[in-house]
Amino acid sequence: MTATPAQSGATANAPLEKIALESYVPPAKPSLVGLSRSELADLLGEIGVVSAQRKMRVQQLWHWTYVRGAPQFADMTSISREMRKQLEQHFTVARPEVAAEQISSDGTRKWLLRLPSGDKLERAHEVECVYIPETDRGTLCVSSQVGCTLNCSFCHTGTQRLVRNLTAGEIVGQIMVARDRLNDWADRDTPNGGRLITNVVMMGMGEPLYNFEAVRDALLIVSDNEGIGISRRRITLSTSGVVPNIVRTGEEIGVMLAVSLHAVRDELRDELVPLNRKYPIAELLQACRDYPGCSNARRITFEYVMLKGVNDSLEDAKLLVKLLKGIPAKINLIPFNPWPGTRYECSDWEQIEKFSEYIFNAGYSSPVRTPRGRDILAACGQLKSESEKLSVRERQALRAMAMTD
C-alpha cells in the first residue's frame, strides 16, 4: 500500500524531532538506583559517611541492589542497623511501580510501569517494558523515553507525544522490575535453574540516542560484572539513525548496534523515518562502517520492516545488499505489526520469503523476526503507553488483526 499524495505531504511537513513537554522532577527522597559508584560515594559523604568507609558502603549497596535485588534498605543485613536507618531517612532503592501486567498466549509479558514524579501537580507518567522468552534466551525490551522524539510513519509508538526522557535509574529500574516479577535475582531459584533475562534490547518506547547520557549510564550499570552482569555482547541498542551519537555509542558504551533502516532509497526513507532528511542513508551507513569494534563477530543488525507494496520488492532487496557491502551485518526482516489507523499493510509471506532468500544467497543472515505478543500490543512498533490510551475500539481492532495473522 503506497501513501497518497496528501499522506506523503503530511509526512514531509511533519517535524523531524519532537520537543519534550516536561523535564524530570526528582522526588524528595531520591532512589539510589541508576547512580554510578562515584555518585553513590558523593551522596554518602553528604549524609556524613566518613571517606574511609565510603568505598566499603558503596560496594555493599551495589551488591544488595544489583546482585540480590533488595527492594528496601531493611533487607541489606550486612549493613549495620544504624547505617540502614540513616539511608532510609534520605534515600530509597525504589523501582518503577507496576501499573499493569499482561501475559500473551505465546508467553510474552508486558508491564506498564508508572514513574512517580516529584511534582505534586503532575500526574505520573508510564512506559512499557516487554519480556520475550525463547528456548535459548530471554530478551527484555526496555524503553528510553516517555513517548518518542521521532515521527516514523509506520510505528505506533511514534504517534505519541514526547513527554520526557527517562533517567538512568528509570531505565535500570525496568530491568529490576522484570527480575522482581520473574524471580530472577542471583540468590533465588528460577524454573530452569538459570537466569531468565539473558539479553537486553533498547528497542522499547523512544529513541535511545536522543537520551544518550542516561542510556549510557544505565547500560554501564546493566553490564557491570559485579552487579546485574549482562554482557555487552548481549545488550543491543537500536537507533533510527542519530548519526552523531552512533560512534559515541561504540566508544562510551560498547554494546551491539541495531539500525532501523526500513528503506534503501532516501525519498522513501524520508517518509518512513523522517529523521532521514537530517541524516540520509549514505551518512548513516558511513557511521556504521566507523562503528568501533564492528567485525564479523560483532555485526551490526539492520532492521527492515516489511511493508506491502512499499519496500518489499526484489529490487529493494538487491539495493539493500549493495548498500551494505563491506559492513559486517545481519538483516532482521520484521513483518509489519498493524495498528488501528495505519495506512500500511504487512507484506505477503511469499514475498517476505523471496526477499529473505535473495539476501541470504548474497551472504547475509536474514532471519524473519517472528511477531511476539501481538495480542497484548507488545510486538515491534506497537508499544504505546497509557499516557495516551487506546480506545476500546482500537484495542479490539488491533487484537482482531493480531489473531487473524
Side-chain angles (χ1 to χ4, degrees), residues 58-128:
V58 166
Q59 287 302 102
Q60 288 175 322
L61 285 167
W62 198 268
H63 176 82
W64 279 105
T65 303
Y66 298 125
V67 176
R68 305 184 71 170
Q72 55 191 1
F73 296 115
D75 298 322
M76 302 181 181
T77 52
S78 65
I79 299 176
S80 70
R81 185 173 299 175
E82 292 74 18
M83 185 75 246
R84 280 181 273 158
K85 286 182 178 179
Q86 192 176 4
L87 290 167
E88 184 69 36
Q89 288 175 357
H90 298 279
F91 311 114
T92 73
V93 282
R95 310 85 151 97
E97 173 192 353
V98 177
E101 178 179 43
Q102 293 175 282
I103 303 176
S104 169
S105 58
D106 63 22
T108 298
R109 293 176 182 240
K110 183 176 75 170
W111 295 287
L112 181 68
L113 303 180
R114 185 167 293 133
L115 309 171
S117 170
D119 186 343
K120 300 299 183 184
L121 300 177
E122 174 188 285
R123 71 187 181 97
H125 299 306
E126 292 154 340
V127 295
E128 292 180 336

Side-chain angles (χ1 to χ4, degrees), residues 209 212 242-254 257 284 286-293:
L209 295 191
F212 181 84
V242 186
V243 167
N245 283 339
I246 288 178
V247 171
R248 285 188 71 192
T249 299
E251 291 174 342
E252 299 180 34
I253 312 176
L257 181 69
L284 172 59
Q286 187 57 52
C288 292
R289 290 186 171 89
D290 296 337
Y291 190 71

Side-chain angles (χ1 to χ4, degrees), residues 10 68-69 113 132 165 285 306 341 388:
R68 305 184 71 170
L113 303 180
I132 306 167
N165 286 332
L285 295 184
M306 300 300 294
E388 293 206 358

Side-chain angles (χ1 to χ4, degrees), residues 16-17 150 207-212 237-252 257-261 266 269 273-292 300 302:
L16 300 187
E17 303 152 6
L150 302 179
E207 165 53 64
L209 295 191
Y210 274 117
N211 188 16
F212 181 84
L237 183 150
S238 177
T239 179
S240 293
V242 186
V243 167
N245 283 339
I246 288 178
V247 171
R248 285 188 71 192
T249 299
E251 291 174 342
E252 299 180 34
L257 181 69
V259 174
S260 296
L261 189 59
D266 280 320
R269 196 166 190 269
V273 186
L275 183 66
N276 193 74
R277 304 205 299 271
K278 186 173 184 179
Y279 305 116
I281 291 173
E283 193 174 337
L284 172 59
L285 295 184
Q286 187 57 52
C288 292
R289 290 186 171 89
D290 296 337
Y291 190 71
I300 293 175
F302 289 90

Side-chain angles (χ1 to χ4, degrees), residues 143-158:
S143 295
S144 58
Q145 296 179 312
V146 183
C148 186
T149 302
L150 302 179
N151 295 284
C152 300
S153 62
F154 62 89
C155 179
H156 198 207
T157 313

